[in-house]
Amino acid sequence: PRLLWLIPSYIISLLIGADGMGFFKLFVSTLIVGAACSFLVLEKRLRLSMSEESFANDLIGIAGAVFYAVNPWVIIRIQHIFLLCGYALLPLFLYFLLEVFFPAQANAQKHPTQYVVLQIALLGLIFSASAGAIHYIFYETAIAVIVGITAVWKQHQQLSLRGILWRGLASLFAIGC
């Protein structure tokens, strides 16, 4: 997965005629912007439970995304570039994991099986892409187990046991466990 992270920045740096330092700056900038966008997607999903939408809530979400993308932990670890790849995708992993076990979209009610299969496939892609550093394989697996146990606990009366097991096993399969 590391090569897949590098190719877009490499192609862009070739097109603009950048040297090695320009390529590195472009790569780090891509990771920082990706982390902020990933956080905004998760924040928007978590905010669905709030009843009111306002400009102030959007500004708070953007401020949180900027802090998530550029904070002391990120700045100290710029030399560990592939840790930042997993860090950038962690909120997206959480988003798709929540969509598998606690769907919030209208499509989930209309076509539940197709929606869950799509979410599981996207979860697997995000998990694979964030495996640039082995740390995130363990972190995301632990998070998936915790969210799965929580889903079983909260939805044991709403879903059939078969439905819970199907989602849990399919999610573990998608992340390669």
Side-chain angles (χ1 to χ4, degrees):
R2 290 182 178 195
L3 187 60
L4 295 175
W5 277 100
L6 296 172
I7 288 174
S9 297
Y10 181 71
I11 291 172
I12 293 171
S13 67
L14 281 178
L15 291 175
I16 63 174
D19 58 353
M21 185 56 77
F23 162 72
F24 183 73
K25 289 177 182 178
L26 181 66
F27 185 58
V28 170
S29 300
T30 303
L31 288 176
I32 289 172
V33 169
C37 292
S38 178
F39 184 86
L40 277 175
V41 168
L42 177 65
E43 186 268 337
K44 193 77 160 170
R45 164 65 169 83
L46 294 175
R47 213 168 11 123
L48 285 175
S49 62
M50 295 176 60
S51 59
E52 64 182 61
E53 287 287 324
S54 70
F55 183 67
N57 287 341
D58 290 337
L59 284 179
I60 291 169
I62 290 170
V66 168
F67 182 75
Y68 180 80
V70 184
N71 63 55
W73 189 89
V74 170
I75 301 304
I76 290 171
R77 279 157 187 84
I78 283 189
Q79 72 271 18
H80 303 290
I81 199 72
F82 292 107
L83 277 177
L84 296 181
C85 295
Y87 180 79
L89 289 179
L90 187 62
L92 270 183
F93 177 80
L94 288 170
Y95 171 83
F96 287 116
L97 194 62
L98 290 173
E99 284 298 312
V100 166
F101 287 107
F102 305 103
Q105 303 295 329
N107 289 338
Q109 283 74 36
K110 293 178 188 172
H111 309 289
T113 304
Q114 294 92 342
Y115 185 79
V116 170
V117 167
L118 175 65
Q119 299 306 312
I120 289 172
L122 292 171
L123 178 69
L125 287 173
I126 294 296
F127 183 81
S128 298
S130 66
I134 196 167
H135 305 72
Y136 284 93
I137 293 173
F138 300 116
Y139 299 157
E140 290 174 349
T141 301
I143 291 169
V145 168
I146 291 168
V147 170
I149 290 170
T150 304
V152 168
W153 185 264
K154 289 185 77 83
Q155 296 181 352
H156 72 280
Q157 293 175 348
Q158 295 172 353
L159 285 177
S160 66
L161 181 61
R162 181 176 155 220
I164 293 170
L165 289 175
W166 183 81
R167 286 181 181 193
L169 290 175
S171 297
L172 288 176
F173 177 76
I175 62 174
C177 291

